[in-house]
């Protein structure tokens, strides 16, 4: 599987950490794809993940309804990473 197909197959939902809507990235894919590929290849070549890829918006979600909201253990964290970070993660898993 190649990067353009990975991007097209991903959900269009824009994450909180994205500066550009995912739908716009998909529309402009022929133009931005070489840049995305360069970022991913550089990350893999040098073994470093860009700092902006490591930032996440964390949302606490109740484990079960009816639990006491004052107890932090009653929540589970949901981390939303930037779109490009998800592409790198998916590509690296191959």
């Amino acid at each position: 599987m190649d990067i353009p197909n990975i991007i097209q197959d991903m959900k269009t939902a824009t994450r909180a950490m994205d500066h550009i809507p995912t739908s716009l990235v998909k529309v402009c894919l022929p133009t931005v794809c070489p840049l995305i590929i360069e970022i991913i290849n550089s990350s893999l070549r040098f073994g470093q993940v860009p700092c902006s890829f490591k930032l996440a918006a964390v949302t606490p979600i109740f484990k079960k309804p009816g639990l006491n909201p004052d107890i932090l253990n009653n929540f589970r964290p949901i981390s939303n990473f930037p779109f490009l970070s998800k592409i790198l993660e998916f590509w690296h898993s191959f």
Side-chain angles (χ1 to χ4, degrees):
M1 185 173 260
D2 58 349
I3 299 291
N5 288 337
I6 291 171
I7 293 171
Q8 288 296 346
D9 290 344
M10 292 182 81
K11 293 181 183 177
T12 307
T14 300
R15 291 147 179 88
M17 302 301 293
D18 290 333
H19 298 289
I20 300 171
T22 304
S23 57
L24 182 60
V25 173
K26 288 185 174 188
V27 169
C28 300
L29 194 55
T31 303
V32 299
C33 193
L35 301 170
I36 293 171
I37 291 171
E38 181 58 35
I39 291 168
I40 290 172
N41 285 339
S42 293
S43 177
L44 296 174
R45 186 179 318 115
F46 297 111
Q48 293 183 331
V49 177
C51 291
S52 61
F53 284 21
K54 298 177 187 179
L55 299 175
V58 179
T59 305
I61 303 292
F62 256 137
K63 290 181 180 178
K64 296 179 186 175
L67 294 176
N68 184 347
D70 296 328
I71 300 173
L72 293 180
N73 285 336
N74 291 338
F75 293 89
R76 61 183 176 95
I78 302 296
S79 300
N80 291 312
F81 288 90
F83 183 68
L84 289 177
S85 176
K86 299 303 286 180
I87 296 168
L88 175 63
E89 176 186 14
F90 192 82
W91 182 253
H92 189 268
S93 68
F94 275 124

